[in-house]
Amino acid sequence: MEAFLGQFDYFVRYVFAAVAVVILLRCVFSLFRSRPRREAMATLINLADDSKITIENWETSIGRSRACDIALKDYTTVSRFHAVLALRKGGWYIFDTDSKTGVYVNGKQISHAAALKDGDTVSFGNAVMKFKSNGYGTGAKQTKSKKNTDYTNATRLVNLKDKSAYYLSGSCLIGRDKNCNICLPVETVSREHAEIYLTRDGWMVADLNSHNGTYLNGEMVFDAFPLYDGDIIEIGAYRFMFRE
C-alpha cells in the first residue's frame, strides 16, 4: 500500500507540473496572439508633404520635445510642448499649452482651446496639418448655419528642408528684413529679395534686384515669371515648392 501511495504521489507531482507548463505556454501564446490592436481614432495630415500622423489616444501631446506623443523636432517654430489634442464628451478639441508661436485653427489663432471638425486646418507654428476624425467624436452636435472654408488646397510655399508651410494671400514679400512676410535671416538673402503676388493670370514671382538672384526651377528669374503647382523657388540657401 505504501509503495502504491508513493508511486501515486510521484505520478501526481509530474502530472500537475506538466499541466502547469501547458497552461503557462497557452497563456503566453494567447497573450502574443491576442495583443490588443490600437485603433486609429483620428489622423493629422501634414499639408506640406501629405504625410499622415495617426492619433491613437484620447489625449495626444504635440511639440518639439521627444517626450511629446507627436514630436515635431524638425520645426524650429514649434515650442517644446506646443499643444494637446484631446477627445472630450463634446468632440475633439485642440489646446494651446502656452506655445510661443500659437495654435491656429483655419487661419485664426485660438486663445486657449477650440473645437475641431473634419477638414479643419490646424497650425502649430509653421507646421500645418489637416484634421480628420475616424468616426470618434462625430456624435457631438455641430452648427450647420456656417459652412467651413476648406484650407486644404490653399496656395502656399513649402520649405523643402523642414516641410514648414507659408500660406499666400495677395502679395508676399520675401527677404532678410523683419518686416517681410517671410523673413529669411541669412546673409545670402537680400533685405527685400523677391515677391510673390497674384494677378488676373495667376501667381507670379519677381526678383527685387537681389544680390544673389532668385531661381525658378533652376533658372534665374528676370522681371516676373508665372508660377505653377510644383515649381521650385530658390532664394539664397532656401528651396521652396509652390503649391496651389
Side-chain angles (χ1 to χ4, degrees), residues 203-227:
W203 288 93
M204 307 286 289
V205 59
D207 182 75
L208 302 178
N209 296 319
S210 64
H211 182 72
N212 293 316
T214 302
Y215 292 82
L216 177 64
N217 298 326
E219 297 185 3
M220 183 174 285
V221 173
F222 296 99
D223 195 17
F225 277 33
L227 287 173

PDB file of all heavy atoms in Angstrom, residues 203-227:
ATOM      1  N   TRP A 203      -0.565  83.340 -60.274  1.00  0.00           N
ATOM      2  CA  TRP A 203       0.509  83.728 -59.366  1.00  0.00           C
ATOM      3  C   TRP A 203       1.802  83.983 -60.126  1.00  0.00           C
ATOM      4  O   TRP A 203       2.114  83.283 -61.089  1.00  0.00           O
ATOM      5  CB  TRP A 203       0.732  82.644 -58.310  1.00  0.00           C
ATOM      6  CG  TRP A 203      -0.364  82.586 -57.290  1.00  0.00           C
ATOM      7  CD1 TRP A 203      -1.480  81.804 -57.328  1.00  0.00           C
ATOM      8  CD2 TRP A 203      -0.449  83.352 -56.091  1.00  0.00           C
ATOM      9  NE1 TRP A 203      -2.264  82.028 -56.235  1.00  0.00           N
ATOM     10  CE2 TRP A 203      -1.652  82.962 -55.445  1.00  0.00           C
ATOM     11  CE3 TRP A 203       0.365  84.301 -55.488  1.00  0.00           C
ATOM     12  CZ2 TRP A 203      -2.056  83.522 -54.236  1.00  0.00           C
ATOM     13  CZ3 TRP A 203      -0.032  84.852 -54.276  1.00  0.00           C
ATOM     14  CH2 TRP A 203      -1.220  84.473 -53.665  1.00  0.00           C
ATOM     15  N   MET A 204       2.558  84.992 -59.648  1.00  0.00           N
ATOM     16  CA  MET A 204       3.819  85.370 -60.272  1.00  0.00           C
ATOM     17  C   MET A 204       4.895  85.470 -59.200  1.00  0.00           C
ATOM     18  O   MET A 204       4.610  85.729 -58.031  1.00  0.00           O
ATOM     19  CB  MET A 204       3.688  86.727 -60.979  1.00  0.00           C
ATOM     20  CG  MET A 204       2.528  86.830 -61.959  1.00  0.00           C
ATOM     21  SD  MET A 204       2.791  85.922 -63.496  1.00  0.00           S
ATOM     22  CE  MET A 204       4.063  86.950 -64.267  1.00  0.00           C
ATOM     23  N   VAL A 205       6.159  85.266 -59.612  1.00  0.00           N
ATOM     24  CA  VAL A 205       7.300  85.500 -58.737  1.00  0.00           C
ATOM     25  C   VAL A 205       8.220  86.501 -59.432  1.00  0.00           C
ATOM     26  O   VAL A 205       8.461  86.416 -60.634  1.00  0.00           O
ATOM     27  CB  VAL A 205       8.060  84.194 -58.415  1.00  0.00           C
ATOM     28  CG1 VAL A 205       8.572  83.498 -59.670  1.00  0.00           C
ATOM     29  CG2 VAL A 205       9.203  84.471 -57.445  1.00  0.00           C
ATOM     30  N   ALA A 206       8.704  87.467 -58.678  1.00  0.00           N
ATOM     31  CA  ALA A 206       9.566  88.511 -59.238  1.00  0.00           C
ATOM     32  C   ALA A 206      10.773  88.703 -58.339  1.00  0.00           C
ATOM     33  O   ALA A 206      10.653  88.684 -57.104  1.00  0.00           O
ATOM     34  CB  ALA A 206       8.799  89.828 -59.377  1.00  0.00           C
ATOM     35  N   ASP A 207      11.937  88.871 -58.957  1.00  0.00           N
ATOM     36  CA  ASP A 207      13.146  89.186 -58.209  1.00  0.00           C
ATOM     37  C   ASP A 207      13.229  90.695 -58.012  1.00  0.00           C
ATOM     38  O   ASP A 207      12.958  91.468 -58.935  1.00  0.00           O
ATOM     39  CB  ASP A 207      14.377  88.678 -58.962  1.00  0.00           C
ATOM     40  CG  ASP A 207      15.654  88.939 -58.199  1.00  0.00           C
ATOM     41  OD1 ASP A 207      15.903  88.232 -57.217  1.00  0.00           O
ATOM     42  OD2 ASP A 207      16.388  89.871 -58.587  1.00  0.00           O
ATOM     43  N   LEU A 208      13.600  91.141 -56.816  1.00  0.00           N
ATOM     44  CA  LEU A 208      13.633  92.566 -56.497  1.00  0.00           C
ATOM     45  C   LEU A 208      15.078  93.074 -56.488  1.00  0.00           C
ATOM     46  O   LEU A 208      15.546  93.682 -55.534  1.00  0.00           O
ATOM     47  CB  LEU A 208      12.969  92.819 -55.140  1.00  0.00           C
ATOM     48  CG  LEU A 208      11.513  92.347 -55.019  1.00  0.00           C
ATOM     49  CD1 LEU A 208      10.973  92.613 -53.622  1.00  0.00           C
ATOM     50  CD2 LEU A 208      10.635  93.011 -56.069  1.00  0.00           C
ATOM     51  N   ASN A 209      15.778  92.803 -57.601  1.00  0.00           N
ATOM     52  CA  ASN A 209      17.180  93.216 -57.751  1.00  0.00           C
ATOM     53  C   ASN A 209      18.035  92.707 -56.589  1.00  0.00           C
ATOM     54  O   ASN A 209      18.868  93.442 -56.023  1.00  0.00           O
ATOM     55  CB  ASN A 209      17.291  94.741 -57.853  1.00  0.00           C
ATOM     56  CG  ASN A 209      16.598  95.290 -59.097  1.00  0.00           C
ATOM     57  OD1 ASN A 209      16.701  94.695 -60.182  1.00  0.00           O
ATOM     58  ND2 ASN A 209      15.887  96.396 -58.953  1.00  0.00           N
ATOM     59  N   SER A 210      17.833  91.459 -56.233  1.00  0.00           N
ATOM     60  CA  SER A 210      18.586  90.865 -55.129  1.00  0.00           C
ATOM     61  C   SER A 210      20.041  90.658 -55.524  1.00  0.00           C
ATOM     62  O   SER A 210      20.391  90.602 -56.706  1.00  0.00           O
ATOM     63  CB  SER A 210      17.959  89.528 -54.733  1.00  0.00           C
ATOM     64  OG  SER A 210      18.051  88.590 -55.798  1.00  0.00           O
ATOM     65  N   HIS A 211      20.904  90.536 -54.511  1.00  0.00           N
ATOM     66  CA  HIS A 211      22.337  90.395 -54.763  1.00  0.00           C
ATOM     67  C   HIS A 211      22.675  89.031 -55.362  1.00  0.00           C
ATOM     68  O   HIS A 211      23.503  88.933 -56.277  1.00  0.00           O
ATOM     69  CB  HIS A 211      23.109  90.591 -53.448  1.00  0.00           C
ATOM     70  CG  HIS A 211      24.589  90.521 -53.616  1.00  0.00           C
ATOM     71  ND1 HIS A 211      25.318  91.512 -54.242  1.00  0.00           N
ATOM     72  CD2 HIS A 211      25.495  89.563 -53.233  1.00  0.00           C
ATOM     73  CE1 HIS A 211      26.598  91.180 -54.247  1.00  0.00           C
ATOM     74  NE2 HIS A 211      26.733  89.997 -53.645  1.00  0.00           N
ATOM     75  N   ASN A 212      22.048  87.968 -54.861  1.00  0.00           N
ATOM     76  CA  ASN A 212      22.370  86.608 -55.323  1.00  0.00           C
ATOM     77  C   ASN A 212      21.336  86.032 -56.280  1.00  0.00           C
ATOM     78  O   ASN A 212      21.487  84.892 -56.741  1.00  0.00           O
ATOM     79  CB  ASN A 212      22.520  85.674 -54.121  1.00  0.00           C
ATOM     80  CG  ASN A 212      23.727  86.023 -53.276  1.00  0.00           C
ATOM     81  OD1 ASN A 212      24.794  86.286 -53.809  1.00  0.00           O
ATOM     82  ND2 ASN A 212      23.559  86.047 -51.964  1.00  0.00           N
ATOM     83  N   GLY A 213      20.283  86.772 -56.546  1.00  0.00           N
ATOM     84  CA  GLY A 213      19.294  86.332 -57.524  1.00  0.00           C
ATOM     85  C   GLY A 213      18.255  85.367 -56.976  1.00  0.00           C
ATOM     86  O   GLY A 213      18.419  84.769 -55.911  1.00  0.00           O
ATOM     87  N   THR A 214      17.181  85.262 -57.735  1.00  0.00           N
ATOM     88  CA  THR A 214      16.092  84.320 -57.428  1.00  0.00           C
ATOM     89  C   THR A 214      15.998  83.319 -58.565  1.00  0.00           C
ATOM     90  O   THR A 214      16.044  83.703 -59.744  1.00  0.00           O
ATOM     91  CB  THR A 214      14.753  85.067 -57.279  1.00  0.00           C
ATOM     92  OG1 THR A 214      14.867  86.050 -56.249  1.00  0.00           O
ATOM     93  CG2 THR A 214      13.629  84.106 -56.935  1.00  0.00           C
ATOM     94  N   TYR A 215      15.872  82.041 -58.228  1.00  0.00           N
ATOM     95  CA  TYR A 215      15.860  80.984 -59.247  1.00  0.00           C
ATOM     96  C   TYR A 215      14.527  80.246 -59.217  1.00  0.00           C
ATOM     97  O   TYR A 215      13.989  79.939 -58.152  1.00  0.00           O
ATOM     98  CB  TYR A 215      17.001  80.007 -59.021  1.00  0.00           C
ATOM     99  CG  TYR A 215      18.362  80.614 -59.264  1.00  0.00           C
ATOM    100  CD1 TYR A 215      18.987  81.378 -58.286  1.00  0.00           C
ATOM    101  CD2 TYR A 215      19.018  80.448 -60.480  1.00  0.00           C
ATOM    102  CE1 TYR A 215      20.233  81.957 -58.510  1.00  0.00           C
ATOM    103  CE2 TYR A 215      20.261  81.014 -60.717  1.00  0.00           C
ATOM    104  CZ  TYR A 215      20.862  81.766 -59.725  1.00  0.00           C
ATOM    105  OH  TYR A 215      22.089  82.339 -59.949  1.00  0.00           O
ATOM    106  N   LEU A 216      14.011  79.967 -60.415  1.00  0.00           N
ATOM    107  CA  LEU A 216      12.770  79.225 -60.576  1.00  0.00           C
ATOM    108  C   LEU A 216      13.062  77.992 -61.402  1.00  0.00           C
ATOM    109  O   LEU A 216      13.448  78.103 -62.576  1.00  0.00           O
ATOM    110  CB  LEU A 216      11.697  80.088 -61.251  1.00  0.00           C
ATOM    111  CG  LEU A 216      10.364  79.396 -61.545  1.00  0.00           C
ATOM    112  CD1 LEU A 216       9.673  78.966 -60.260  1.00  0.00           C
ATOM    113  CD2 LEU A 216       9.448  80.317 -62.357  1.00  0.00           C
ATOM    114  N   ASN A 217      12.932  76.815 -60.787  1.00  0.00           N
ATOM    115  CA  ASN A 217      13.238  75.537 -61.454  1.00  0.00           C
ATOM    116  C   ASN A 217      14.644  75.550 -62.059  1.00  0.00           C
ATOM    117  O   ASN A 217      14.878  75.056 -63.165  1.00  0.00           O
ATOM    118  CB  ASN A 217      12.200  75.236 -62.532  1.00  0.00           C
ATOM    119  CG  ASN A 217      10.807  75.078 -61.962  1.00  0.00           C
ATOM    120  OD1 ASN A 217      10.629  74.591 -60.848  1.00  0.00           O
ATOM    121  ND2 ASN A 217       9.804  75.521 -62.714  1.00  0.00           N
ATOM    122  N   GLY A 218      15.590  76.141 -61.316  1.00  0.00           N
ATOM    123  CA  GLY A 218      16.984  76.140 -61.731  1.00  0.00           C
ATOM    124  C   GLY A 218      17.397  77.284 -62.628  1.00  0.00           C
ATOM    125  O   GLY A 218      18.581  77.423 -62.942  1.00  0.00           O
ATOM    126  N   GLU A 219      16.459  78.130 -63.053  1.00  0.00           N
ATOM    127  CA  GLU A 219      16.775  79.242 -63.943  1.00  0.00           C
ATOM    128  C   GLU A 219      16.563  80.562 -63.219  1.00  0.00           C
ATOM    129  O   GLU A 219      15.601  80.734 -62.469  1.00  0.00           O
ATOM    130  CB  GLU A 219      15.904  79.186 -65.196  1.00  0.00           C
ATOM    131  CG  GLU A 219      16.138  77.937 -66.044  1.00  0.00           C
ATOM    132  CD  GLU A 219      15.335  77.972 -67.337  1.00  0.00           C
ATOM    133  OE1 GLU A 219      14.648  78.998 -67.571  1.00  0.00           O
ATOM    134  OE2 GLU A 219      15.379  76.985 -68.092  1.00  0.00           O
ATOM    135  N   MET A 220      17.487  81.500 -63.466  1.00  0.00           N
ATOM    136  CA  MET A 220      17.404  82.793 -62.799  1.00  0.00           C
ATOM    137  C   MET A 220      16.178  83.564 -63.282  1.00  0.00           C
ATOM    138  O   MET A 220      15.851  83.557 -64.470  1.00  0.00           O
ATOM    139  CB  MET A 220      18.676  83.609 -63.052  1.00  0.00           C
ATOM    140  CG  MET A 220      18.698  84.953 -62.324  1.00  0.00           C
ATOM    141  SD  MET A 220      20.278  85.835 -62.495  1.00  0.00           S
ATOM    142  CE  MET A 220      21.292  84.881 -61.374  1.00  0.00           C
ATOM    143  N   VAL A 221      15.525  84.226 -62.332  1.00  0.00           N
ATOM    144  CA  VAL A 221      14.319  84.991 -62.637  1.00  0.00           C
ATOM    145  C   VAL A 221      14.693  86.415 -63.027  1.00  0.00           C
ATOM    146  O   VAL A 221      15.391  87.111 -62.279  1.00  0.00           O
ATOM    147  CB  VAL A 221      13.374  85.010 -61.419  1.00  0.00           C
ATOM    148  CG1 VAL A 221      12.191  85.941 -61.673  1.00  0.00           C
ATOM    149  CG2 VAL A 221      12.889  83.605 -61.101  1.00  0.00           C
ATOM    150  N   PHE A 222      14.247  86.830 -64.203  1.00  0.00           N
ATOM    151  CA  PHE A 222      14.383  88.215 -64.632  1.00  0.00           C
ATOM    152  C   PHE A 222      12.980  88.807 -64.750  1.00  0.00           C
ATOM    153  O   PHE A 222      12.100  88.204 -65.345  1.00  0.00           O
ATOM    154  CB  PHE A 222      15.107  88.302 -65.983  1.00  0.00           C
ATOM    155  CG  PHE A 222      16.524  87.804 -65.930  1.00  0.00           C
ATOM    156  CD1 PHE A 222      16.840  86.523 -66.358  1.00  0.00           C
ATOM    157  CD2 PHE A 222      17.537  88.608 -65.442  1.00  0.00           C
ATOM    158  CE1 PHE A 222      18.138  86.062 -66.311  1.00  0.00           C
ATOM    159  CE2 PHE A 222      18.849  88.160 -65.393  1.00  0.00           C
ATOM    160  CZ  PHE A 222      19.145  86.879 -65.830  1.00  0.00           C
ATOM    161  N   ASP A 223      12.772  89.970 -64.162  1.00  0.00           N
ATOM    162  CA  ASP A 223      11.464  90.590 -64.142  1.00  0.00           C
ATOM    163  C   ASP A 223      10.508  89.694 -63.352  1.00  0.00           C
ATOM    164  O   ASP A 223      10.706  89.484 -62.174  1.00  0.00           O
ATOM    165  CB  ASP A 223      10.967  90.858 -65.567  1.00  0.00           C
ATOM    166  CG  ASP A 223       9.792  91.824 -65.589  1.00  0.00           C
ATOM    167  OD1 ASP A 223       9.592  92.514 -64.568  1.00  0.00           O
ATOM    168  OD2 ASP A 223       9.082  91.878 -66.594  1.00  0.00           O
ATOM    169  N   ALA A 224       9.467  89.136 -63.994  1.00  0.00           N
ATOM    170  CA  ALA A 224       8.489  88.297 -63.287  1.00  0.00           C
ATOM    171  C   ALA A 224       8.170  87.057 -64.110  1.00  0.00           C
ATOM    172  O   ALA A 224       8.063  87.122 -65.338  1.00  0.00           O
ATOM    173  CB  ALA A 224       7.213  89.091 -63.013  1.00  0.00           C
ATOM    174  N   PHE A 225       8.040  85.941 -63.430  1.00  0.00           N
ATOM    175  CA  PHE A 225       7.730  84.668 -64.077  1.00  0.00           C
ATOM    176  C   PHE A 225       6.443  84.096 -63.482  1.00  0.00           C
ATOM    177  O   PHE A 225       6.188  84.239 -62.283  1.00  0.00           O
ATOM    178  CB  PHE A 225       8.860  83.662 -63.863  1.00  0.00           C
ATOM    179  CG  PHE A 225      10.000  83.788 -64.827  1.00  0.00           C
ATOM    180  CD1 PHE A 225      10.367  85.019 -65.337  1.00  0.00           C
ATOM    181  CD2 PHE A 225      10.714  82.660 -65.220  1.00  0.00           C
ATOM    182  CE1 PHE A 225      11.426  85.149 -66.219  1.00  0.00           C
ATOM    183  CE2 PHE A 225      11.777  82.769 -66.099  1.00  0.00           C
ATOM    184  CZ  PHE A 225      12.140  84.020 -66.597  1.00  0.00           C
ATOM    185  N   PRO A 226       5.610  83.424 -64.281  1.00  0.00           N
ATOM    186  CA  PRO A 226       4.399  82.775 -63.736  1.00  0.00           C
ATOM    187  C   PRO A 226       4.759  81.541 -62.918  1.00  0.00           C
ATOM    188  O   PRO A 226       5.773  80.884 -63.171  1.00  0.00           O
ATOM    189  CB  PRO A 226       3.605  82.396 -64.995  1.00  0.00           C
ATOM    190  CG  PRO A 226       4.637  82.277 -66.076  1.00  0.00           C
ATOM    191  CD  PRO A 226       5.694  83.293 -65.755  1.00  0.00           C
ATOM    192  N   LEU A 227       3.930  81.234 -61.938  1.00  0.00           N
ATOM    193  CA  LEU A 227       4.136  80.084 -61.067  1.00  0.00           C
ATOM    194  C   LEU A 227       3.066  79.028 -61.309  1.00  0.00           C
ATOM    195  O   LEU A 227       1.894  79.353 -61.522  1.00  0.00           O
ATOM    196  CB  LEU A 227       4.102  80.506 -59.601  1.00  0.00           C
ATOM    197  CG  LEU A 227       5.308  81.280 -59.066  1.00  0.00           C
ATOM    198  CD1 LEU A 227       5.031  81.770 -57.649  1.00  0.00           C
ATOM    199  CD2 LEU A 227       6.561  80.406 -59.087  1.00  0.00           C
TER     200      LEU A 227
END
